[in-house]
Amino acid sequence: ISRKKYYLLAAQKKIGKTRFMVDIIDRIINHNENVAVQFFSMEMTADELVRCFISRKTEIEDRVIMGKSRRLSPEELKDIELAANFFDNYPIEIIDKQMNIFQITSKFVTFSKQHPDCHCICVIDNLALIKPHILLDVQFEDDVARIIKQCRDDTDGTIVLLHHLTKESESKWNKESGYEPKVTHIRGSSRLVDLANAVILLHRPDHYSDLMDAARAVAREDELKGIFAVDIPLNRDGGADKIIMKHKLQFSRFDERKSN
């Protein structure tokens, strides 16, 4: 994740796009100085997103933090309090109001000016929830891609746009490849891909019950369980790559297992 970049991150629904970004952002903040993040969370409320960060730090599930499944122990309460206090100085601004692309980029330009000495990162979650400024879908998506590119250039910041895939990636024709997504499965205008510095596709095999049933039948269930594939098929600044990770989705934690 470097300056003056626009990343398109796409996956099917419920794969874990937002939680993966929580993991990435927390890693960036913890391992770098002078970073400032503006997170447009139109999928989750700000409270829900903060609980994802707390869950990552404490390894306590969101529903447990909310007190919905069991009573918290004194040690867990202390860990949650410490994690929550950490956010007093956490360099992130979360905006959970639906906006159009002009409002989003305008806010990020202002945010970048307010943090002139920082590497500013903008996360937009997600394209489908951006308030449309035009009725034609293709024209809207073309405009979004163009405006994000311009904002990237104007701010020297990093913009990550989360997006969905078409239903084709989950069709029976793609079952033989384990429903692995391809660039052609990215929904909407090709300009979203054409103007991106890199395209990142996320895949979680254990999301699909038929894949797990087939693996269980040949005693290979453990090989798929917990696998999270981060595929980078297009990269203007380097080669294609695929990183295989192990996920603890309930804690928004992803750990690299191996690279291909």
Side-chain angles (χ1 to χ4, degrees):
I1 304 289
S2 54
R3 291 179 182 269
K4 206 170 182 177
K5 296 290 188 292
Y6 151 45
Y7 298 99
L8 179 64
L9 187 148
Q12 283 291 357
K13 294 180 179 179
K14 305 300 181 182
I15 293 298
K17 295 185 295 298
T18 302
R19 291 181 180 272
F20 179 72
M21 281 309 307
V22 166
D23 182 271
I24 293 295
I25 292 300
D26 196 50
R27 288 173 185 267
I28 290 172
I29 290 174
N30 289 339
H31 293 92
N32 296 275
E33 296 180 353
N34 299 323
V35 173
V37 179
Q38 194 172 49
F39 203 122
F40 291 89
S41 178
M42 293 174 280
E43 187 85 38
M44 293 182 177
T45 66
D47 286 347
E48 288 172 328
L49 191 62
V50 168
R51 287 199 300 272
C52 285
F53 280 98
I54 292 174
S55 183
R56 185 184 188 279
K57 293 184 179 298
T58 61
E59 293 207 359
I60 302 172
E61 291 185 57
D62 179 80
R63 60 194 177 92
V64 177
I65 294 173
M66 293 287 289
K68 292 184 176 180
S69 61
R70 62 174 174 81
R71 181 175 294 180
L72 290 160
S73 70
E75 292 78 13
E76 288 174 327
L77 284 169
K78 183 177 179 180
D79 288 343
I80 291 169
E81 183 179 0
L82 289 171
N85 290 340
F86 182 80
F87 277 88
D88 289 343
N89 298 307
Y90 202 68
I92 188 170
E93 178 186 4
I94 299 172
I95 300 171
D96 59 4
K97 179 182 177 182
Q98 189 181 28
M99 298 180 176
N100 63 42
I101 192 60
F102 301 105
Q103 293 169 316
I104 291 170
T105 53
S106 175
K107 280 188 173 293
F108 185 58
V109 168
T110 301
F111 182 79
S112 299
K113 290 178 179 177
Q114 291 169 344
H115 300 82
D117 299 323
C118 290
H119 174 188
C120 293
I121 300 172
C122 174
V123 180
I124 305 172
D125 185 13
N126 60 59
L127 175 64
L129 296 175
I130 296 175
K131 189 179 293 185
H133 60 275
I134 192 170
L135 294 177
L136 296 174
D137 288 343
V138 174
Q139 184 61 57
F140 163 69
E141 290 161 358
D142 285 351
D143 284 352
V144 167
R146 175 181 56 80
I147 293 165
I148 285 177
K149 176 182 179 297
Q150 187 62 53
C151 183
R152 175 203 68 188
D153 295 342
D154 291 343
T155 60
D156 283 345
T158 300
I159 301 176
V160 185
L161 175 65
L162 277 58
H163 192 25
H164 291 142
L165 303 174
T166 64
K167 293 181 179 179
E168 183 184 357
S169 73
E170 295 184 321
S171 71
K172 63 180 181 179
W173 312 110
N174 203 36
K175 184 178 178 179
E176 287 187 8
S177 65
Y179 302 118
E180 287 190 11
K182 303 176 180 64
V183 173
T184 53
H185 294 145
I186 295 174
R187 185 181 297 176
S189 169
S190 61
R191 296 289 285 171
L192 295 166
V193 171
D194 292 343
L195 296 180
N197 293 94
V199 172
I200 304 169
L201 302 176
L202 305 180
H203 179 50
R204 182 163 60 90
D206 62 13
H207 174 67
Y208 299 95
S209 58
D210 56 344
L211 294 183
M212 297 304 293
D213 289 342
R216 193 176 300 113
V218 293
R220 298 183 63 183
E221 182 182 9
D222 289 343
E223 294 181 24
L224 290 187
K225 193 172 182 180
I227 291 296
F228 195 85
V230 182
D231 188 13
I232 308 170
L234 296 176
N235 185 2
R236 296 181 185 274
D237 305 301
D241 196 7
K242 180 179 285 189
I243 303 166
I244 304 300
M245 310 186 87
K246 292 286 286 185
H247 75 78
K248 293 182 180 178
L249 197 67
Q250 70 274 31
F251 305 133
S252 299
R253 295 192 70 93
F254 302 81
D255 297 303
E256 185 173 344
R257 194 187 73 170
K258 66 180 181 178
S259 294
N260 292 339

